[in-house]
Amino acid sequence: MEAVVSTQSTWGGLDFFDEADEKWFESIKDVFDKFDHDGNGHLDRDELGNAIREVCPHMKVTDEDIHKIFIRMDLDGDRTISSEEFFLELEEVWDEEIPDETPEELFGNAIRKHIYLMNKKVSEFQSISEVFNSFDGDHNGHLDYNEFARAVMKVGVDMDDDDLTEAFNMIDTSGDGAIDSTEFVFMCCAISLRYPALEHAGPLDVFRKCLYMLRDVAQDAFEPVGDWEPRPRMTRRMSINIPDEAPGDISDPEFVDDGLPV
């Protein structure tokens, strides 16, 4: 007979409940370390791309797909993926339970779901490109710092120069000093997918909310409440084999006599 139970664990600041689960999370850490070629505790976009292509050799993953996944997984916008982000984004794609799979299988299937979800959201957010174009004053396909500052002002978000600079750098995932339409659209899509309260918000509202979030992050004032209530932590589906015949039986007297005073 097979029973299915759900468990949660900790690793990288997350809570675990049992030794078996801890070992499973350590095996996920082993997968992360395998792809962290420079051993700095973070995956850059090239390392993530190498990981995806190694684990999913039969998938036709494009550079754009990797860009989408990278933006989706880089929760704090620092242009790297930490071990905590790596784990949380393995969790976040599942609707109810994390399947009972090996860490590499889980990673591969999570990548497929990330691509599907991001493509679906990008398709829904076609009009965000029009929002981007309205901010692109010289129509060169990029927002420089001044155009971005005007966009922030136009949507009514109050930021000082330091906050504006940090928000700009977080959206500019390539670090080339400009925000292209891909970075703009993918950031809005990733934010919309991450927070349930924004799931049905329009593109412009998501962009405005994204700016508020980035401002709060820049000020170390971000709190995961209200619109920023994250998706519930997922539980892992674990199959445990239980023998049809137990090794021993509990007699009626044993059942009744639990050793406690009456």
Side-chain angles (χ1 to χ4, degrees):
M1 180 173 66
E2 183 182 79
V4 175
V5 298
S6 293
T7 57
Q8 285 182 316
S9 283
T10 193
W11 170 68
L14 306 172
D15 292 333
F16 55 36
F17 295 155
D18 58 45
E19 183 178 352
D21 234 18
E22 182 179 359
K23 291 178 180 177
W24 186 77
F25 278 82
E26 287 301 323
S27 65
I28 291 180
K29 181 66 162 58
D30 290 341
V31 173
F32 178 89
D33 290 342
K34 174 182 176 181
F35 299 124
D36 179 19
H37 296 303
D38 57 11
N40 68 351
H42 294 79
L43 300 184
D44 60 26
R45 193 160 65 177
D46 288 341
E47 288 172 324
L48 179 66
N50 292 336
I52 292 170
R53 291 189 168 105
E54 181 174 330
V55 174
C56 311
H58 303 299
M59 283 183 65
K60 294 182 179 178
V61 181
T62 66
D63 289 340
E64 183 175 275
D65 288 332
I66 291 169
H67 195 179
K68 290 174 186 173
I69 298 166
F70 188 81
I71 289 176
R72 172 114 162 101
M73 295 183 78
D74 180 19
L75 301 178
D76 62 8
D78 67 352
R79 301 177 192 155
T80 65
I81 296 171
S82 66
S83 56
E84 289 87 352
E85 289 170 326
F86 185 80
F87 163 70
L88 286 171
E89 288 304 315
L90 291 188
E91 259 196 7
E92 192 162 295
V93 294
W94 310 111
D95 296 326
E96 296 178 1
E97 290 181 316
I98 304 173
D100 185 25
E101 298 177 329
T102 68
E104 288 207 10
E105 289 173 335
L106 188 67
F107 176 65
N109 287 327
I111 292 303
R112 292 179 181 88
K113 287 181 71 72
H114 275 312
I115 292 174
Y116 168 76
L117 291 170
M118 281 293 280
N119 285 342
K120 184 172 181 288
K121 184 59 68 173
V122 168
S123 177
E124 293 172 1
F125 270 27
Q126 285 298 317
S127 58
I128 197 69
S129 296
E130 298 174 12
V131 174
F132 175 88
N133 292 335
S134 72
F135 298 145
D136 182 14
D138 55 12
H139 306 292
N140 68 348
H142 296 80
L143 300 185
D144 60 25
Y145 181 84
N146 291 331
E147 288 171 327
F148 178 71
R150 286 194 291 271
V152 171
M153 186 179 299
K154 187 173 181 178
V155 298
V157 178
D158 183 30
M159 288 191 184
D160 62 27
D161 290 341
D162 289 340
D163 296 343
L164 197 62
T165 298
E166 187 155 350
F168 181 87
N169 290 336
M170 290 176 72
I171 300 176
D172 175 23
T173 56
S174 66
D176 64 359
I179 297 170
D180 62 33
S181 60
T182 298
E183 291 167 330
F184 186 87
V185 172
F186 288 178
M187 174 64 76
C188 290
C189 289
I191 293 295
S192 178
L193 285 168
R194 190 168 299 140
Y195 299 101
L198 304 183
E199 191 170 354
H200 302 295
L204 185 59
D205 192 36
V206 169
F207 174 59
R208 184 182 294 109
K209 294 283 189 181
C210 176
L211 292 174
Y212 280 122
M213 185 195 76
L214 296 177
R215 182 192 65 185
D216 290 348
V217 169
Q219 296 174 353
D220 291 326
F222 178 74
E223 294 184 8
V225 296
D227 285 348
W228 305 121
E229 188 76 32
R231 296 186 184 280
R233 289 286 313 283
M234 290 293 102
T235 54
R236 180 163 71 96
R237 184 180 187 276
M238 238 177 28
S239 298
I240 299 177
N241 292 321
I242 301 174
D244 291 327
E245 295 183 3
D249 295 320
I250 300 175
S251 66
D252 288 341
E254 287 173 326
F255 183 79
V256 173
D257 182 12
D258 58 6
L260 296 177
V262 293

